Amino acid sequence: MNDLSAGYRDLVAIRDISLSVHPGKVTVLLGRNGAGKSTTLLTIAGLAKRTAGQILLDGVDITDRPPHVRTALGIALVPENKRIFRRRTVEENLAIGGYILRRGERRAAVRNAYDRFPMLHAKRHEPAGGLSGGQQQMLSIAQALMPGPRVLMLDEPTAGLAPVIVKDVLEILGSIKAEDVGVLLVEQLVDQAMTVADRVVLLDHGRVQSSAEADGLHNFEELRNVYLGGR
Ligand code: ATP
């Protein structure tokens, strides 16, 4: 995205943000509460109001495309607080995630989801609301993966999860990355995020404060103390 600005009514939530996501790489978006991380993801998905700038996918301008077209083109979002349908079964939730697919493709995608998340197969006929928090997060990720995205965005996927489940989620991200999907991850657990990060972008007051390759980040401790309040 180039020089992207977006907001809500008269509030400018992000301003002149430029960043890229590459196949098989994880870009981690960090910043304090209210820095504009969620708005950035929502704007890329077409769900927040862009006021300036461009979004390109493989050089093609998708800035004015509606959300469902972006989904079809390969942009997926796992939103904050996982938007699963609690009274629907696990399998119905997966089908909803693949709503843009034809029936045969959708069946194949559900099988892929079960291969990746065997636990979802075991619970496929159960209401999603009965799953544990970690299982619901896996379902939310599986749903987003249904159309076979090229860019997967996740908004704090580890929020509220036990450490052992956090590890599982990060492992899943590792496997998604290995399949050449580009990942844009908003994460509060900085140390954990750094285990999968290729690039780190720090937002502050809606702007890119700094960005760096993850392996070149020697003074990350300092950055964290200054901009993330020591988290
Ligand atoms: P958090 O970690 O708290 O989710 P964030 O970095 O994701 O923070 P955003 O949620 O993108 O930040 O918020 C950026 C700014 O936009 C904040 O000032 C916030 O109050 C405001 N904002 C976010 N969502 C809305 C909304 N739906 N309506 C009005 N203002 C909003």
Side-chain angles (χ1 to χ4, degrees), residues 8 11 13-14 31-40 80 155-156 186 188:
Y8 307 93
L11 174 87
I14 58 170
R32 282 189 282 220
N33 287 342
K37 306 179 299 294
S38 299
T39 304
T40 302
E80 213 169 358
D155 199 346
E156 299 192 24
V186 169
Q188 296 283 354

Side-chain angles (χ1 to χ4, degrees), residues 11-194:
L11 174 87
V12 181
I14 58 170
R15 211 186 282 267
D16 299 334
I17 295 195
S18 298
L19 60 83
S20 347
V21 176
H22 298 279
K25 302 282 182 199
V26 176
T27 299
V28 175
L29 212 48
L30 298 175
R32 282 189 282 220
N33 287 342
K37 306 179 299 294
S38 299
T39 304
T40 302
L41 302 195
L42 291 169
T43 309
I44 296 171
L47 300 168
K49 192 175 175 339
R50 181 195 66 95
T51 50
Q54 261 187 324
I55 304 167
L56 306 174
L57 184 64
D58 276 339
V60 176
D61 191 334
I62 59 161
T63 313
D64 294 321
R65 298 302 188 92
H68 69 277
V69 173
R70 297 186 199 203
T71 304
L73 290 171
I75 294 181
L77 172 65
V78 180
E80 213 169 358
N81 305 323
K82 16 177 197 330
R83 259 163 247 162
I84 57 168
F85 295 87
R86 299 176 59 84
R87 290 159 75 171
R88 300 283 184 169
T89 66
V90 165
E91 190 147 307
E92 285 167 342
N93 269 280
L94 290 175
I96 292 164
Y99 77 98
I100 60 166
L101 302 175
R102 280 194 278 262
R103 195 189 296 182
E105 293 171 332
R106 192 157 56 231
R107 276 206 210 101
V110 168
R111 278 197 299 275
N112 286 342
Y114 291 151
D115 286 345
R116 193 193 293 274
F117 302 97
M119 167 278 301
L120 294 182
H121 184 254
K123 306 249 175 189
R124 64 191 180 283
H125 298 311
E126 296 184 21
L131 302 181
S132 70
Q135 291 169 339
Q136 289 184 19
Q137 189 56 265
M138 298 299 183
L139 176 58
S140 189
I141 296 172
Q143 238 181 359
L145 289 172
M146 282 288 293
R150 307 186 35 231
V151 177
L152 179 68
M153 305 189 288
L154 305 102
D155 199 346
E156 299 192 24
T158 64
L161 300 183
V164 57
I165 314 292
V166 168
K167 197 168 145 278
D168 289 348
V169 170
L170 293 173
E171 266 176 32
I172 293 289
L173 293 189
S175 75
I176 292 167
K177 166 175 162 164
E179 291 162 24
D180 258 3
V181 174
V183 177
L184 183 57
L185 172 66
V186 169
E187 184 53 73
Q188 296 283 354
L189 302 175
V190 177
D191 295 320
Q192 282 86 337
M194 292 307 286

Side-chain angles (χ1 to χ4, degrees), residues 25-28 30 177 190 193-201 211-220 223:
K25 302 282 182 199
V26 176
T27 299
V28 175
L30 298 175
K177 166 175 162 164
V190 177
M194 292 307 286
T195 64
V196 290
D198 293 290
R199 192 164 182 85
V200 177
V201 177
S211 67
E213 294 299 315
D215 58 6
L217 223 49
H218 301 303
N219 59 349
F220 191 70
L223 277 182

